[in-house]
Amino acid sequence: MDTPQKGNFFESLPDARKAEVLETLAEKGAVRIERIVSRGQVSPPGFWYDQNQHEWVILLRGAARIEFEGAPDPVDLEPGDYVNIPSGVRHRVAWTAPDETTVWLAVWF
């Protein structure tokens, strides 16, 4: 039997000034839940995520912009905004707030 675990999503946020930090909070079967902490990081030029799982992501703190290949406009995210990204949809992080910590919750399924 699994043991219940309690935590606080905003407690002990890692310092993301040098690099984005991804932390797996829970994982079972094909489902993975991660906390992502950014501070000014973006996808490298010409790089596109092309994932074989669906990704549901919500921005909880900060600000970000995601570009989708072939879409005319990027998607700006503020706290509370979420995006469901189907598998195989190429996307990239075009911008995250450089002057504040951006905190995401991502679920891969």
Side-chain angles (χ1 to χ4, degrees):
M1 182 167 131
D2 291 332
T3 303
Q5 297 177 334
K6 180 186 180 288
N8 183 298
F9 196 80
F10 296 106
E11 189 174 284
S12 302
L13 288 175
D15 184 352
R17 286 179 285 191
K18 292 183 181 178
E20 186 172 67
V21 180
L22 288 78
E23 300 171 299
T24 299
L25 303 176
E27 187 170 18
K28 183 125 181 156
V31 177
R32 184 175 78 249
I33 301 170
E34 287 188 349
R35 175 172 72 176
I36 303 169
V37 182
S38 311
R39 191 174 180 115
Q41 287 84 18
V42 299
S43 298
F47 174 83
W48 293 91
Y49 290 101
D50 189 356
Q51 301 162 171
N52 61 2
Q53 284 186 293
H54 303 297
E55 178 184 2
W56 182 89
V57 63
I58 185 168
L59 193 87
L60 299 175
R61 182 181 289 174
R65 179 175 301 121
I66 300 176
E67 294 176 343
F68 293 93
E69 187 175 55
D73 298 311
V75 175
D76 290 326
L77 300 173
E78 297 178 353
D81 291 339
Y82 66 87
V83 180
N84 190 34
I85 306 169
S87 65
V89 172
R90 290 169 49 102
H91 61 285
R92 62 187 311 279
V93 178
W95 178 84
T96 61
D99 57 344
E100 65 179 315
T101 300
T102 297
V103 182
W104 318 67
L105 172 67
V107 179
W108 280 269
F109 59 100

